[in-house]
Amino acid sequence: MSANYKNWVPNGMITALTAGTAILGAGTAALMCAKMSPKLKMALVGTAGAGTLACGAMTAWSIYAHCKFSYNGNRQLSKAIVEGTAKYITLPEGGIGLDVGCGSGALTIACAKRNPQGRMVGIDRWGMEYASFSQQLCEDNSDSEGVQNTEFHQGDACKLDYPDEYFDAVTSNYVYHNITGVNKQELLRETMRVLKKGGTFAIHDIMSKARYGDMQQFISELYNEGYEVVELIDTTNGMFMSKGEAKVLGLSGSSLLVGRK
């Protein structure tokens, strides 16, 4: 059985949007045939028609994005991002790495494959908004890939249940921008807290200034604290995707923060 890493745009979303578009379209057609005052009909048809167009546009986008992110499709953007991020994670013999917000286990497993001399721990809260993602799914995917050096646990990115300098590597992919009401640089700090001196890190997210603030200042602060290497890489310049593709998918500002503590 092959691994099932799911899709960042779930089938349920596409089904719901398609149904919504059909219902709104049928409603618009019914209103056009209904007997009522011309002014009221115009207002109702206009409103229902606008809703149909909006829902239809969202349906089209979700299908487009689903195809882009599919692990089995032609583009396989999710796979490219996961494998491209995993390349920056290095574990020493017997080392342990942490993947924050592991979802379906894709990045955890990719890092574990590249580092058979160590093991990877994936944590996630597996919330209702991603109901098809679970600890069991991660474990099943790891088994399907024949990877034995992984483990998965419930966890909170805002307050990691690990002591300072516990892991030899830390990583994350498109997680922190989803956490509302929390300073993103503080989330990065919490992740870096559990990284050992000399450990590697690779964190990929939408690190726009509006979300993350001044990342160049953040990098300067890390250097001042003794970090050996810190680099912020724009992944929309052809590394993982083009700027145009990123804009359409809502991923503008995607960057990879990599380095060594």
Side-chain angles (χ1 to χ4, degrees), residues 98 100 156-160 162-167 170 172 176 179 182-196 201 203 207 212 214-227 230 257 261:
L98 175 69
V100 180
D156 183 357
C158 298
K159 188 175 177 57
L160 298 173
Y162 299 99
D164 295 353
E165 299 192 0
Y166 185 82
F167 292 98
V170 291
S172 184
Y176 301 151
I179 303 175
V182 180
N183 182 284
K184 301 301 182 287
Q185 291 189 15
E186 290 180 4
L187 284 173
L188 292 175
R189 288 284 187 187
E190 176 63 6
T191 301
M192 299 297 195
R193 177 184 66 78
V194 301
L195 179 64
K196 291 179 182 178
F201 58 90
I203 299 169
M207 296 186 182
Y212 272 78
D214 189 343
M215 283 300 293
Q216 293 306 317
Q217 177 63 34
F218 181 75
I219 290 171
S220 295
E221 291 173 4
L222 294 184
Y223 272 122
N224 290 336
E225 293 165 16
Y227 280 67
V230 186
L257 184 70
K261 190 172 184 180

Side-chain angles (χ1 to χ4, degrees), residues 239-258:
M239 179 177 180
F240 294 154
M241 68 199 93
S242 68
K243 290 190 182 299
E245 188 175 35
K247 185 175 182 178
V248 173
L249 291 170
L251 301 178
S252 293
S254 293
S255 300
L256 191 56
L257 184 70
V258 300

Side-chain angles (χ1 to χ4, degrees), residues 18-34 44-45 48-49 51-53:
T18 301
T21 301
I23 291 169
L24 285 168
T28 303
L31 286 169
M32 291 176 69
C33 299
L44 292 176
V45 169
T52 303
L53 290 174

Side-chain angles (χ1 to χ4, degrees), residues 8-230:
W8 294 347
V9 181
N11 289 324
M13 178 189 292
I14 296 174
T15 301
L17 287 170
T18 301
T21 301
I23 291 169
L24 285 168
T28 303
L31 286 169
M32 291 176 69
C33 299
K35 293 182 178 181
M36 62 181 75
S37 70
K39 287 186 178 181
L40 179 60
K41 177 181 286 191
M42 182 179 294
L44 292 176
V45 169
T47 300
T52 303
L53 290 174
C55 198
M58 291 174 65
T59 302
W61 178 88
S62 66
I63 294 171
Y64 169 80
H66 188 276
C67 292
K68 290 284 185 178
F69 293 134
S70 174
Y71 270 78
N72 300 316
N74 293 326
R75 179 64 175 89
Q76 297 185 345
L77 180 56
S78 295
K79 183 178 181 180
I81 292 172
V82 164
E83 294 184 351
T85 301
K87 289 179 181 179
Y88 290 90
I89 295 300
T90 303
L91 295 176
E93 188 69 36
I96 310 173
L98 175 69
D99 177 22
V100 180
C102 60
S104 61
L107 181 55
T108 315
I109 294 167
C111 291
K113 279 184 174 182
R114 295 183 63 85
N115 293 276
Q117 73 283 1
R119 63 189 177 94
M120 286 294 301
V121 176
I123 64 165
D124 204 301
R125 70 183 186 86
W126 293 296
M128 288 298 295
E129 64 270 36
Y130 286 98
S132 63
F133 292 71
S134 66
Q135 181 178 353
Q136 187 62 57
L137 174 64
C138 293
E139 293 170 350
D140 290 345
N141 284 337
S142 192
D143 289 341
S144 295
E145 295 278 14
V147 174
Q148 302 301 316
N149 57 330
T150 59
E151 57 184 88
F152 300 93
H153 305 286
Q154 195 91 21
D156 183 357
C158 298
K159 188 175 177 57
L160 298 173
D161 192 23
Y162 299 99
D164 295 353
E165 299 192 0
Y166 185 82
F167 292 98
D168 297 282
V170 291
T171 189
S172 184
N173 181 41
Y174 281 139
V175 174
Y176 301 151
H177 75 276
N178 288 314
I179 303 175
T180 58
V182 180
N183 182 284
K184 301 301 182 287
Q185 291 189 15
E186 290 180 4
L187 284 173
L188 292 175
R189 288 284 187 187
E190 176 63 6
T191 301
M192 299 297 195
R193 177 184 66 78
V194 301
L195 179 64
K196 291 179 182 178
K197 182 68 175 177
T200 56
F201 58 90
I203 299 169
H204 189 237
D205 199 16
I206 306 174
M207 296 186 182
S208 61
K209 190 169 185 177
R211 284 187 168 95
Y212 272 78
D214 189 343
M215 283 300 293
Q216 293 306 317
Q217 177 63 34
F218 181 75
I219 290 171
S220 295
E221 291 173 4
L222 294 184
Y223 272 122
N224 290 336
E225 293 165 16
Y227 280 67
E228 294 181 25
V229 180
V230 186

